[in-house]
Amino acid sequence: MRTPLLWLSLLLVFGFAARAEKPNIILIMADDFGYECLTANGGQSYQTPHLDRLAAEGLRFEHCHSQPLCTPTRVQLMTGRYNVRNYFNFGTLPTTETTFGQLLKKAGYATGICGKWQLGQDKGLPQHFGFEESYLWQHTRRPPRYANPGLEHNGEPVDFTHGEYGPKLVNDFALDFITRHRQQPFFLYYPMILTHDPFQPTPDSAEWDPKTTGENAKRDNKHFADMTAYMDKLIGELVARLDELALRENTVLLFLGDNGTSSKITSQFQGRPYAGGKGKTNRQGTHVPMIANWPAQMSAGRVSKDLISTTDFLPTLCEMAGIPVPAQVDGVSFLPQLKGQPGTPREWLYGWYSPRQKPDLSVQEFAFDHRFKLYRDGRFFNLVADPLEKEALAVESLNREAAEAATRLARVLDQFKDARPVELDEAFLKASGGVKKKKRQK
């Protein structure tokens, strides 16, 4: 006969085993930080030692692509669905959508979000989307974000006037969150405030002034380098805290950018100048860095050439947590690749891009693989010979390989020809007061 003590021991053993099977997850997204800015990718203008170390000890992806602008990427990342299905307008995440926060909360994770919001001003939206705790900038208002910032803690405004620095305050919340939840699986979504314009001094800059107020003071493109270094430093502090708490082994760290770098910034990349392309649908606007690091499950020093979409993060997180992926999700889990298995690499990526910042239904829709890219309007590019899409190829001049690729990518676009819900555009036009120009495709 088993004694109560034996039952208790078994319960503890099984409880710890279940805990070990569920990793902690931290998803970090830098703001306006393109592929060319990371030293590990071949960037030569900035110092990113902590990110470089995460890459060296984990897996670096060479072909991760986002949307060209922040809100479209955030909506796609959080829902695992292409913008064609659910994007309403700039600064909005429809409340009918299901996010990875809701899914992981339901799976027993402690959930938190900190950093930049820009997805709607209602006070309870982060909690509605599954985040039990939030510490955000640009939630219910838009105050300064850097020196002497205004933030919101669980929807309540908090203003700082004694030389505080917004990104540091947010990072302190992140450190506190993982410390308080170290006894249970946690998911922290960390869409960073850095490195978005205004380019202003950081506390580590020679020109830092704790009395700075507003986003027009001390602006200079040269501060982008300091902001990049400070962003990297904050990530280093986060990794150090995981080490201190003995959580590092079973914590998945995922890092990416939300879109290309600001067009104000030109960096040195692999021996030549590289202009930021935020807002463009070419590589300058969509190609972002991506790093995965999980000591308990991943071997070090690997590089992947697999195509990765921002829709792929939600199904990957679901698989990590051992929960089913909802229907109507477009992403493909890359968890097998993290573990060194072949997985199911994508053969193509799809994009539906419409900023919707003005009453305008213009859309750029495209599909591409490693070599070729086709737009809905017929423009076709060889991405190897013309990575910045400067000159479209004439259909009649295509060789066999290119012609076959064009046909293949046209079939991809055909999959989405009826994917856009009519009621979304109707609601957008109603909310924006009409349409100034109407172009279905560009």
Side-chain angles (χ1 to χ4, degrees):
M1 180 176 180
R2 290 174 175 163
T3 66
L5 183 59
L6 178 58
W7 279 112
L8 179 60
S9 299
L10 289 172
L11 285 172
L12 287 172
V13 169
F14 288 132
F16 285 127
R19 169 68 177 89
E21 290 172 1
K22 279 190 174 183
N24 304 308
I25 303 170
I26 301 177
L27 173 55
I28 305 171
M29 184 167 68
D31 201 358
D32 290 4
F33 189 74
Y35 184 85
E36 77 280 4
C37 296
L38 185 67
T39 306
N41 290 338
Q44 298 166 297
S45 293
Y46 316 110
Q47 298 299 314
T48 57
H50 297 289
L51 284 170
D52 296 340
R53 182 176 179 181
L54 287 175
E57 296 176 351
L59 176 58
R60 180 172 61 85
F61 286 86
E62 293 187 324
H63 297 280
C64 179
H65 287 264
S66 67
Q67 290 288 75
L69 195 64
C70 46
T71 299
T73 291
R74 289 158 206 273
V75 171
Q76 193 161 281
L77 179 78
M78 293 172 70
T79 65
R81 283 154 50 85
Y82 294 126
N83 283 169
V84 67
R85 303 193 194 280
N86 63 3
Y87 187 70
F88 180 67
N89 68 359
F90 186 82
T92 300
L93 175 59
T95 57
T96 53
E97 290 298 300
T98 298
T99 74
F100 45 38
Q102 291 162 310
L103 295 169
L104 291 178
K105 178 183 176 183
K106 189 179 295 185
Y109 276 74
T111 56
I113 179 173
C114 59
K116 177 179 174 180
W117 178 244
Q118 196 176 274
L119 293 171
Q121 294 186 328
D122 289 351
K123 178 180 175 180
L125 280 174
Q127 284 67 38
H128 168 81
F129 286 117
F131 300 102
E132 297 165 312
E133 300 179 40
S134 61
Y135 198 73
L136 299 165
W137 173 75
Q138 202 185 351
H139 178 186
T140 66
R141 55 190 181 142
R142 191 184 173 116
R145 74 194 84 178
Y146 293 130
N148 298 298
L151 302 173
E152 278 112 331
H153 186 199
N154 295 328
E156 297 297 333
V158 185
D159 293 305
F160 298 89
T161 58
H162 295 92
E164 295 90 346
Y165 187 59
K168 179 66 166 66
L169 295 167
V170 170
N171 207 63
D172 288 345
F173 171 86
L175 300 178
D176 180 62
F177 179 85
I178 64 176
T179 302
R180 287 186 288 106
H181 295 289
R182 62 187 180 277
Q183 299 298 333
Q184 66 183 114
F186 59 78
F187 169 51
L188 178 64
Y189 175 38
Y190 188 175
M192 302 185 84
I193 299 174
L194 292 165
T195 55
H196 196 291
D197 190 24
F199 303 123
Q200 294 177 300
T202 76
D204 291 347
S205 303
E207 296 181 28
W208 168 255
D209 180 356
K211 296 180 181 179
T212 300
T213 58
E215 299 211 323
N216 291 317
K218 295 183 175 291
R219 296 180 72 159
D220 194 309
N221 292 352
K222 69 180 181 181
H223 297 310
F224 180 77
D226 286 353
M227 293 166 71
T228 295
Y230 203 92
M231 177 266 290
D232 182 80
K233 172 184 171 180
L234 295 178
I235 292 173
E237 292 179 1
L238 192 63
V239 174
R241 178 61 58 90
L242 291 171
D243 283 331
E244 292 168 10
L245 298 173
L247 297 175
R248 185 76 180 83
E249 280 293 307
N250 200 36
T251 297
V252 185
L253 279 164
L254 298 170
F255 172 85
L256 77 158
D258 71 341
N259 49 247
T261 312
S262 168
S263 59
K264 299 177 182 179
I265 302 299
T266 296
S267 309
Q268 285 295 311
F269 175 62
Q270 297 181 352
R272 58 187 181 274
Y274 193 99
K278 175 181 177 178
K280 298 179 180 180
T281 57
N282 65 14
R283 184 173 298 181
Q284 291 167 305
T286 69
H287 194 196
V288 294
M290 180 185 163
I291 296 168
N293 189 292
W294 184 7
Q297 295 286 338
M298 294 175 58
S299 57
R302 292 182 293 131
V303 178
S304 174
K305 296 186 180 299
D306 289 352
L307 295 169
I308 300 292
S309 162
T310 46
T311 61
D312 297 337
F313 285 78
L314 182 144
T316 303
L317 268 55
C318 286
E319 191 173 355
M320 288 176 181
I323 57 178
V325 179
Q328 301 301 315
V329 164
D330 294 302
V332 179
S333 173
F334 53 80
L335 180 60
Q337 288 95 311
L338 300 189
K339 295 183 176 182
Q341 302 162 7
T344 309
R346 283 178 166 273
E347 297 180 359
W348 48 264
L349 295 178
Y350 167 76
W352 184 98
Y353 175 58
S354 183
R356 304 292 166 105
Q357 293 178 277
K358 299 177 181 179
D360 180 358
L361 289 176
S362 296
V363 173
Q364 295 190 65
E365 191 176 7
F366 48 87
F368 63 101
D369 56 23
H370 285 97
R371 292 186 58 81
F372 298 99
K373 186 171 185 177
L374 177 66
Y375 283 81
R376 177 73 77 180
D377 64 7
R379 287 176 297 145
F380 184 69
F381 297 92
N382 182 327
L383 297 178
V384 176
D386 183 17
L388 301 184
E389 304 172 24
K390 293 182 178 180
E391 185 173 352
L393 299 175
V395 175
E396 59 272 13
S397 68
L398 299 182
N399 60 29
R400 181 177 178 179
E401 179 190 19
E404 290 176 349
T407 299
R408 185 169 59 251
L409 294 172
R411 287 198 294 267
V412 173
L413 292 176
D414 284 345
Q415 296 180 33
F416 300 97
K417 63 181 180 180
D418 299 317
R420 182 69 178 168
V422 175
E423 56 270 21
L424 263 183
D425 286 342
E426 291 175 344
F428 168 72
L429 290 174
K430 183 177 180 180
S432 61
V435 62
K436 293 181 179 178
K437 61 178 180 176
K438 188 172 182 178
K439 297 180 181 178
R440 293 307 303 170
Q441 303 299 332
K442 181 179 178 182

